[in-house]
Amino acid sequence: MRKEKRVTLGEEEIVVSELTVEQVTNVMDGLEAQQTGTLDLLFHDRLPVAAVSLASALSSKKLNGMAPSELDTLWKAVEDVNPFFVGMVERLAAFGQAALAAGNLSAEVLKKPAAS
C-alpha cells in the first residue's frame, strides 16, 4: 500500500502520495527536457518540482501561487512519503558533485545533450 500524508495549508487539506517506480522514472526522464524555473531554484537541493506536483496533484500554476513557507511544508510532506526517491536524488547529487570535483565532468557536459 502506498504511503499517504495529509497536510493543511491555509484552509486547504492536501493529500500527498508516495510515487510509484514508474512515476519516479517518468519524473527523472523528464528532467532533461524541463526548463529550470523559480521553484526549482528555490528548492534546488530538494525533490524536483515535477515530483511534488505529481505527489500532491497540484499544478505548477497552483504551486507558483503559494508562499515559500507553504511550499516548504508541502515539500517536507512529499519527502516524508517518498524516502527512497529522496535517497536516490541525494546519491545522484553526491555522484555529480564528486565527478565535478574530480574533474571527470565539466559543467558544460551537463548542459549539452548526449550525442546519439
Side-chain angles (χ1 to χ4, degrees):
M1 176 176 258
R2 290 167 52 176
K3 293 183 191 177
E4 285 188 348
K5 185 172 189 171
R6 297 182 188 293
V7 61
T8 302
L9 300 175
E11 295 181 16
E12 187 175 359
E13 184 176 81
I14 298 164
V15 177
V16 296
S17 301
E18 181 178 20
L19 299 177
T20 65
V21 173
E22 182 178 17
Q23 289 172 313
V24 169
T25 301
N26 291 339
V27 168
M28 296 305 291
D29 288 348
L31 289 178
E32 285 186 33
Q34 179 183 327
Q35 291 186 342
T36 301
T38 303
L39 288 175
D40 296 300
L41 296 173
L42 282 171
F43 295 94
H44 71 280
D45 59 346
R46 310 276 288 275
L47 287 180
V49 174
V52 174
S53 179
L54 189 57
S56 65
L58 295 174
S59 69
S60 58
K61 182 177 180 178
K62 176 82 172 175
L63 294 173
N64 277 295
M66 299 170 78
S69 58
E70 292 175 310
L71 291 167
D72 185 52
T73 300
L74 181 63
W75 246 264
K76 286 177 183 174
V78 173
E79 290 166 345
D80 285 349
V81 297
N82 288 283
F84 296 101
F85 192 13
V86 170
M88 183 181 82
V89 168
E90 289 172 348
R91 286 187 298 279
L92 287 171
F95 172 76
Q97 291 296 329
L100 281 171
N104 294 337
L105 277 178
S106 73
E108 287 303 309
V109 169
L110 295 176
K111 293 179 186 174
K112 295 180 183 176
S116 326

